Amino acid sequence: MGQSEDCFARLTGVKKHFGAVVALDGIDLEVRAGQRIGLVGHNGAGKSTLMNVLAGAYKPNEGRLSIAGREQPDYSVSRAQQLGVRCVFQELSLCPNLTVAENTRVTHRALRGPGWRGKARALITDTLDEIFPGHGIAASTLVQDLGIGQRQMVEIARAFSETETPARLVVLDEPTSSLDGHTAAQLLSFLRHAAAGGISFILISHLLGEILENSDTIAVMRDGRIVAEDRASAFNRDKLVHAMGAEESRAPVPHSAAAIKTQAAVRVRARPERQTTAREVVAHEGEIIGLAGLAGHGQTDLLRAIFSATSRRSPNVTLSGTVALVAGDRQADGVFALWSIADNITIRSLGRLTRGGLISPSREKALADHWYDKIKIRTPDMRNNILSLSGGNQQKALFARALGSDAAIILMDDPMRGVDIATKLEVYGIVRREAQSGRTFLWYTTETDELSFCDHVYVMRNGSIVADMQRSELSEAAVIQSSFKGAD
Amino acid sequence: MKFIFAKPWIWSFVSAGTVWLVAVAVTRGSGADSMLTGALAMATFTVVVGVGQMFVIALGPGNIDLSLPANIGLASAVAMTVMNGNDSLVGLGLLAALGCGLLVGLANYLLIWALRIPPIIATLSSSFIIQSIDISYGRGLQIKPPPAFADFANLRFLDVPVLAVLAMLFAALAAIVLQRTVYGRWVLAVGQNMRAARFAGVRVGWTRLATYMLCGALGGIDGALLAGYFRGATVDIGNEYLLSSIAVVVIGGSSVAGGKANLPGIWGAALFLVLLLTMLNTFGVSAGVRLLLTGIIIVAAIAVASDGRPRDVA
Amino acid sequence: MALSGKTCSQFRSVARTLLPAISLLVVLGGIAWLNPRAISYFGFSLMLNLAIPMVLATLAQLFVITGNDLDLSIGPFIGFSACVSATWLHDAPLVGITILICAVGVYAAIGALIYLRDLPSVVVTLGMGFVWQGLAVLVLPQPGGLAPDWLVAIMGIRPPFVPFPVLVAIVLAVVVWFLLERTSYGVILRGAGGNPVAIRRAGWSLLKLKMTLFAVAGLFGVLSGLSLVGLTTSADANIGNGYTLLGIAGVILGGGEFTGGRVSAIGAVVGALTLALAASPLLTFMHIPPDWQIGANGAILIIVLTARVLVSRQRGVA
């Protein structure tokens, strides 16, 4: 039953639907041994569903799946594991209440019987050493005590660790999203070596630059189909964006008059808790302030501290104006899953929508409709449940919630992570316009590109501000350098 | 069938109606009318505390008020003591019962907030303390309600208990509070996602405090009314209302995971439960069978009314 | 990266592990101060008389809480087991054993029901509590019954040096600790509470896990009922009702949390012992009037949980 070349996996005409929603509309894909395939597409294009089909978690409604040269009619998660298919999902699959070694046991059924703990510990530590030398993670640590970057490292190492069968095909969904530059580079270099040794990869990422540099082949998905597939060298950023269906390509960044803004009123003064020097974040009316640095170095804590200062006095924070927060983790911190899109937007502004003590349905609708137009939420009806929206549009709804309120200061906690290009560009435009009409933004982002929208950037390291620069002084190199430099 | 299940509160009324028909069939129509009247009266008490419990449960998983029976018992004793058999003190007595309930709610929330005790344990612990207070306070008290109050509690207009009518109006009012006030919206927000609610500007602490105090207050009022209806206060007068208050919330279609509350369903479920018990009594079943059947029906009702586990999603 | 966060968490877990031990010492200290003669072999045997059923009830609750559920029916279930033990088990042992095994099967079925229909365990078990209560009343309408001789004999063992309840508690603690926190299957059971999606993705059956957790809880419930009958030599339908709250409290006191699969078997046993001492002997020695005994139980719970919060706060963790 051998196929031409050494084709490890082949999907033919695979279709998958959930009730009336078509997630995969006829996928034909071939994965050869040692091939790195980059998979890109809008949120909702079907990438996660494809991944789950390969993982054995979803059964396709139609089509054929063949792994290791053989058709797989009874494909399941355990079968996939046996054949060497591994998946690293975007929502981390670690149990926070278990240790790193115990989490390794979860995916490796062979780790049982007397002495299993020692074996598990050795297994995961060896793999971590191989992929991320110098990681510093002890196998007996509880996962809940690890930072998000470390958890991602453990998750990746676990997928590559072997007990019964070696990994043959590894699908990674946004693997570098929680890693800082250094560890991301380690991972991508490891992938290169592993591919040379015969392991196939499917890399799903929104970071087009990363995909272009680290894939042999790129497949573009749209609406459940693969609409373009070619060698990576045949693509560039604009072609990818165009294939995904976005109208705008990368727009040039306008340089507004940054100097005038610093004359305006100060809205926020905030000192991080661990700051030993006199540095603090200062944000004026109409400014877009960026927070940069390696992931997990206190930026989110600072934003949360500023937000808490609205209800509780804080010696480190001075505010003048109401504050709204746009969360990065929308499931945990943002979305009200039982409510409609409209209700999710109006929740912050209810006080202004009342008439005679009761909430006025007409005013609610007006607010929701206003933002439907302004921020272009893709939905047939604002009264639909919010989960009917794609991830990017859900994020837009959360923006509308913050912007639709009377808040003068908007905090953004890396809300663009994992959001598709088209949505990002639309939101950037809105942020710029709102800033021009006087709103202040504090924007924590892990993508250095986005910092070019900011008037002033503060780089944080180990919970303190270590550098700050105006937009004119801003460069990716400077930011990265400060992120790693010793404290001043 | 799908339509009935689509709107859970309709289902609860349908079930109530079915039970009533069965009971009527068994007794061959005699007493069908008085059965309904009696059921409406008894359902009233369940509805009042059911609404309170509904608001608490809507606050999210883990939120439940297990101190209700003790609260009702204490409030009934307080009300009777203050009224002291005197018609002119009825208003004061009601206020005292209300105040007692508010204090219970406040105490519950302080335990939850200041001491970080999970609501289940906080309300259960406080129920023990309230019970002790009630026992020592009401020791030997055999105070009857003032005649006017007792008569009012038992008053009927065209065979419909006045209390039931008031309770229906109250339920309608509660529905408006839930849907159309900022407070109601905040309750539902907290119930779905407390963190998101906080970030969305909801005053989470005050919302929860208000809700626990509301539930306490409703328990207090219920205690006073029960004492009036049954013409006397006892420590155990509220005992059966714990399961009933939770059951009517669940069977009526509110989500125990929080964030979704269903008011008409509470009336339907209350009638269903009361009629069920009446029917069982009519059949002359023993206490053991009654308990057994009540439990089975509650479990079955919840199992059927739920949406089940979504396919293909863990 | 975030080093002090990790140290904080470590402090928190150490503190949480120590708290049950500290509470136990506090209660023992109180008893010793109020009535020094109670600190003796005989004293402990007497005070911890009903500790074994309580420890077993707590362990039953432990397994349910591991899976992010709560069992409000364990009390009436213990009452039911006790009633069956004092009747069928005495009169027709084979029938009695069959009934008890079936009861454990029902517990597993409830677990399956809760998982398959995605039901809230609090409400389902509240309803089931009434079912077990009704069955108990049907089996034994009036308090009475006769305990099987072998049961009384087991519960009457007097080992040298260490009081029987203490010995049993230690054995149970070690066994459950080992099974739940050291074996490879225990990892999966706890993982089902920590991140059920991940466990399912790894190919394990959440249905089987849930049923296992509930079945084990049922087993411990049956054992608790048996031990109760062995001690009191008779039964009554309401005998177990208090064990629901005390079981939950024991698990929480022992450092367990309602969600997340974070439980400690040893902590739960220590918590149960603490509560067994605090619930009755301590109160009696403090000369609390009977009217207030119930309230005192509630107060003790509150005090204990407050202590736990204060300990966590002191380490600087919210």
Side-chain angles (χ1 to χ4, degrees):
Chain A
M1 232 92 41
Q3 305 289 337
S4 56
E5 308 147 46
D6 34 357
C7 176
F8 178 72
R10 173 179 279 134
L11 288 93
T12 323
V14 167
K15 291 192 186 176
K16 178 69 185 166
H17 56 83
F18 299 102
V21 179
V22 176
L24 295 178
D25 198 9
I27 297 282
D28 296 307
L29 184 67
E30 257 184 39
V31 185
R32 295 191 307 279
Q35 187 182 20
R36 292 176 304 165
I37 301 182
L39 192 59
V40 296
H42 266 244
N43 279 347
K47 308 187 295 294
S48 294
T49 314
L50 179 57
M51 187 171 164
N52 274 298
V53 167
L54 276 170
Y58 292 167
K59 260 196 173 23
N61 298 113
E62 267 181 59
R64 295 194 319 276
L65 176 67
S66 112
I67 308 275
R70 305 243 299 274
E71 293 260 339
Q72 304 290 340
D74 296 313
Y75 201 51
S76 65
V77 172
S78 40
R79 190 99 188 87
Q81 295 263 341
Q82 283 167 3
L83 291 167
V85 178
R86 308 262 187 271
C87 289
V88 183
F89 293 92
Q90 198 175 1
E91 315 86 62
L92 298 193
S93 294
L94 297 174
C95 298
N97 61 320
L98 300 176
T99 65
V100 172
E102 287 172 338
N103 267 288
T104 313
R105 147 63 175 152
V106 170
T107 48
H108 290 283
R109 279 168 190 269
L111 288 170
R112 45 204 280 239
W116 69 269
R117 220 171 256 275
K119 286 186 219 153
R121 197 179 304 144
L123 179 63
I124 193 68
T125 312
D126 288 343
T127 323
L128 276 169
D129 288 336
E130 197 186 335
I131 308 179
F132 301 107
H135 55 87
I137 301 173
S140 53
T141 323
L142 286 174
V143 166
Q144 69 193 23
D145 294 335
L146 295 176
I148 191 165
Q150 290 175 310
R151 293 190 203 191
Q152 187 102 42
M153 286 158 68
V154 170
E155 179 105 25
I156 292 170
R158 189 176 70 166
F160 281 101
S161 56
E162 299 172 13
T163 43
E164 299 160 311
T165 45
R168 302 274 302 276
L169 167 62
V170 183
V171 185
L172 301 123
D173 191 357
E174 307 282 350
T176 59
S177 61
S178 307
L179 301 178
D180 57 54
H182 174 63
T183 12
Q186 283 180 322
L187 172 66
L188 293 168
S189 143
F190 172 77
L191 292 184
R192 221 170 291 131
H193 283 127
I199 303 183
S200 324
F201 292 101
I202 298 180
L203 192 58
I204 304 176
S205 176
H206 280 299
L207 301 172
L208 298 180
E210 191 177 272
I211 290 274
L212 286 165
E213 278 172 44
N214 291 286
S215 318
D216 304 316
T217 315
I218 298 183
V220 182
M221 281 188 77
R222 195 162 90 198
D223 296 327
R225 291 208 197 94
I226 296 181
V227 295
E229 189 179 348
D230 205 342
R231 296 176 334 270
S233 44
F235 281 105
N236 63 28
R237 203 186 179 93
D238 286 333
K239 283 198 186 137
L240 285 177
V241 170
H242 180 74
M244 284 194 290
E247 284 87 48
E248 302 126 85
S249 53
R250 197 160 169 206
V253 179
H255 286 275
S256 50
I260 299 178
K261 289 190 186 174
T262 47
Q263 311 291 355
V266 172
R267 287 248 188 255
V268 184
R269 261 184 217 284
R271 249 171 75 94
E273 212 178 300
R274 278 187 251 153
Q275 191 82 26
T276 45
T277 63
R279 280 205 160 142
E280 57 179 7
V281 171
V282 179
H284 298 89
E285 196 179 319
E287 273 194 307
I288 306 177
I289 302 290
L291 293 181
L294 297 176
H297 273 242
Q299 301 92 340
T300 303
D301 293 333
L302 183 60
L303 289 178
R304 299 262 168 95
I306 296 174
F307 186 78
S308 311
T310 49
S311 49
R312 214 174 301 167
R313 233 172 248 299
S314 161
N316 291 328
V317 178
T318 337
L319 290 172
S320 80
T322 34
V323 180
L325 181 99
V326 184
D329 186 348
R330 55 177 171 273
Q331 270 150 333
D333 301 337
V335 164
F336 294 110
L338 296 176
W339 277 354
S340 66
I341 306 166
D343 285 338
N344 266 279
I345 293 179
T346 57
I347 179 65
R348 212 198 144 79
S349 315
L350 292 175
R352 295 179 303 142
L353 301 174
T354 55
R355 206 184 301 178
L358 296 176
I359 301 174
S360 152
S362 52
R363 283 198 186 169
E364 268 197 287
K365 187 170 186 309
L367 183 66
D369 288 340
H370 171 78
W371 283 98
Y372 170 71
D373 287 327
K374 193 162 171 182
I375 205 169
K376 296 196 190 25
I377 298 181
R378 284 183 183 66
T379 179
D381 190 346
M382 288 294 268
R383 285 168 306 176
N384 286 350
N385 181 273
I386 189 153
L387 296 180
S388 67
L389 293 178
S390 69
N393 279 293
Q394 285 181 30
Q395 206 67 41
K396 278 192 199 172
L398 294 183
F399 261 102
R401 178 196 296 171
L403 296 172
S405 71
D406 56 359
I409 303 165
I410 314 273
L411 307 175
M412 292 159 59
D413 189 1
D414 202 13
M416 297 312 210
R417 191 150 38 107
V419 172
D420 57 288
I421 289 284
T423 308
K424 279 193 202 186
L425 291 171
E426 283 170 357
V427 174
Y428 297 159
I430 295 189
V431 168
R432 217 180 303 140
R433 281 198 289 282
E434 289 285 323
Q436 272 161 6
S437 40
R439 270 187 151 143
T440 311
F441 287 85
L442 270 86
W443 190 350
Y444 162 47
T445 171
T446 47
E447 285 182 46
T448 0
D449 283 353
E450 292 179 344
L451 291 173
S452 53
F453 286 93
C454 304
D455 302 307
H456 199 118
V457 173
Y458 292 85
V459 182
M460 290 185 70
R461 190 173 160 266
N462 283 341
S464 322
I465 303 169
V466 293
D468 67 274
M469 44 195 94
Q470 300 277 33
R471 199 220 310 276
S472 43
E473 310 163 318
L474 186 63
S475 77
E476 188 161 346
V479 170
I480 292 178
Q481 208 176 7
S482 318
S483 310
F484 283 100
K485 216 165 88 168
D488 46 4
Chain B
M1 254 329 211
K2 252 298 176 171
F3 288 123
I4 297 182
F5 283 111
K7 283 259 166 32
W9 59 269
I10 296 181
W11 180 89
S12 59
F13 279 105
V14 166
S15 320
T18 314
V19 173
W20 183 69
L21 284 173
V22 170
V24 163
V26 167
T27 60
R28 287 159 218 271
S30 69
D33 222 28
S34 64
M35 196 188 298
L36 202 52
T37 309
L40 276 172
M42 291 301 299
T44 302
F45 303 113
T46 313
V47 165
V48 170
V49 286
V51 170
Q53 192 75 268
M54 184 196 77
F55 271 91
V56 170
I57 288 178
L59 281 178
N63 281 289
I64 210 164
D65 186 356
L66 299 177
S67 66
L68 214 46
N71 183 7
I72 292 175
L74 181 61
S76 67
V78 165
M80 292 299 100
T81 314
V82 169
M83 287 186 197
N84 214 1
N86 192 334
D87 280 345
S88 58
L89 290 175
V90 169
L92 199 60
L94 283 172
L95 277 176
L98 184 69
C100 172
L102 282 170
L103 279 177
V104 167
L106 178 63
N108 279 333
Y109 186 65
L110 283 177
L111 288 176
I112 294 170
W113 172 70
L115 302 183
R116 310 287 174 99
I117 300 178
I120 293 181
I121 297 209
T123 53
L124 207 41
S125 314
S126 72
S127 86
F128 281 4
I129 297 179
I130 298 168
Q131 235 183 324
S132 280
I133 296 176
D134 193 16
I135 291 175
S136 62
Y137 175 75
R139 185 158 282 290
L141 281 177
Q142 281 300 330
I143 301 195
K144 295 277 171 234
F149 183 57
D151 289 339
F152 171 72
N154 284 287
L155 187 62
R156 296 188 186 169
F157 184 69
L158 296 179
D159 262 359
V160 177
V162 171
L163 278 187
V165 173
L166 289 176
M168 285 182 216
L169 289 172
F170 167 68
L173 184 65
I176 294 178
V177 166
L178 191 65
Q179 315 277 19
R180 298 279 302 276
T181 61
V182 179
Y183 162 71
R185 202 62 73 88
W186 280 3
V187 167
L188 295 174
V190 171
Q192 290 178 65
N193 190 334
M194 202 191 313
R195 288 172 61 100
R198 200 166 273 136
F199 288 133
V202 170
R203 306 284 292 272
V204 173
W206 288 111
T207 307
R208 294 178 85 196
L209 171 64
T211 309
Y212 277 96
M213 286 181 75
L214 172 68
C215 188
L218 288 174
I221 294 177
D222 220 32
L225 291 175
L226 277 167
Y229 186 79
F230 286 110
R231 300 175 193 279
T234 62
V235 175
D236 298 328
I237 202 171
N239 279 1
E240 65 185 85
Y241 289 100
L242 180 58
L243 183 67
S244 325
S245 66
I246 298 173
V248 297
V249 172
V250 174
I251 298 178
S254 304
S255 166
V256 186
K260 192 164 76 155
N262 190 312
L263 262 151
I266 294 197
W267 256 109
L271 284 171
F272 168 64
L273 277 180
V274 169
L275 284 168
L276 183 70
L277 282 171
T278 316
M279 182 180 80
L280 290 175
N281 275 332
T282 320
F283 287 162
V285 295
S286 71
V289 176
R290 189 154 36 88
L291 285 166
L292 181 59
L293 280 179
T294 313
I296 289 180
I297 288 178
I298 302 244
V299 173
I302 297 172
V304 167
S306 82
D307 293 326
R309 185 163 292 278
R311 297 248 156 268
D312 275 334
V313 179
Chain C
M1 300 175 208
L3 284 170
S4 35
K6 179 179 172 182
T7 335
C8 254
S9 284
Q10 281 177 331
F11 268 137
R12 188 173 29 168
S13 18
V14 168
R16 195 181 289 131
T17 336
L18 285 181
L19 182 62
I22 294 175
S23 321
L24 183 59
L25 286 174
V26 166
V27 171
L28 281 174
I31 290 177
W33 182 53
L34 290 166
N35 192 346
R37 269 181 301 180
I39 309 292
S40 63
Y41 181 97
F42 184 64
F44 274 119
S45 295
L46 211 55
M47 287 193 297
L48 291 175
N49 198 14
L50 292 177
I52 296 178
M54 202 181 294
V55 167
L56 289 164
T58 309
L59 288 172
Q61 195 68 248
L62 180 79
F63 279 91
V64 174
I65 289 182
T66 303
N68 293 336
D69 288 313
L70 209 55
D71 183 6
L72 296 183
S73 69
I74 192 73
F77 182 70
I78 292 174
F80 168 74
S81 307
C83 290
V84 168
S85 312
T87 51
W88 292 103
L89 204 58
H90 179 266
D91 305 331
L94 278 178
V95 178
I97 290 176
T98 316
I99 293 179
L100 290 175
I101 292 179
C102 288
V104 174
V106 172
Y107 242 73
I110 291 295
L113 182 68
I114 288 176
Y115 175 71
L116 289 171
R117 299 291 296 167
D118 200 18
L119 301 175
S121 55
V122 170
V123 183
V124 172
T125 53
L126 201 55
M128 282 308 292
F130 274 59
V131 170
W132 297 119
Q133 185 83 71
L135 287 172
V137 169
L138 286 174
V139 166
L140 198 62
Q142 302 295 332
L146 280 171
D149 297 327
W150 54 270
L151 205 48
V152 179
I154 293 178
M155 296 307 294
I157 294 179
R158 289 245 174 290
F161 306 119
V162 183
F164 184 58
V166 177
L167 194 61
V168 170
I170 292 176
V171 168
L172 285 172
V174 170
V175 168
V176 176
W177 166 77
F178 182 76
L179 288 177
L180 196 56
E181 296 176 54
R182 295 305 293 182
T183 61
S184 53
Y185 190 63
V187 167
I188 310 300
L189 285 174
R190 284 182 293 128
N195 190 344
V197 176
I199 296 293
R200 186 175 180 270
R201 276 215 196 115
W204 300 92
S205 162
L206 282 178
L207 175 63
K208 282 194 207 149
L209 288 167
K210 189 74 78 177
M211 288 176 73
T212 307
L213 287 170
F214 270 82
V216 173
L219 177 64
F220 276 103
V222 164
L223 291 175
S224 179
L226 286 173
S227 62
L228 205 48
V229 168
L231 286 170
T232 58
T233 68
S234 65
D236 109 62
N238 290 312
I239 200 173
N241 288 354
Y243 285 124
T244 307
L245 173 67
L246 287 171
I248 296 174
V251 174
I252 301 296
L253 177 53
E257 288 174 27
F258 282 113
T259 53
R262 296 181 191 99
V263 290
S264 161
I266 298 183
V269 172
V270 172
L273 288 176
T274 311
L275 288 173
L277 287 174
S280 188
L282 184 63
L283 295 183
T284 320
F285 296 149
M286 284 169 71
H287 301 298
I288 307 264
D291 278 354
W292 287 96
Q293 287 240 348
I294 303 175
N297 274 328
I300 287 172
L301 230 70
I302 292 174
I303 291 173
V304 156
L305 291 172
T306 312
R308 183 172 145 176
V309 168
L310 291 177
V311 165
S312 312
R313 281 247 185 96
Q314 260 184 5
R315 302 297 178 190
V317 180

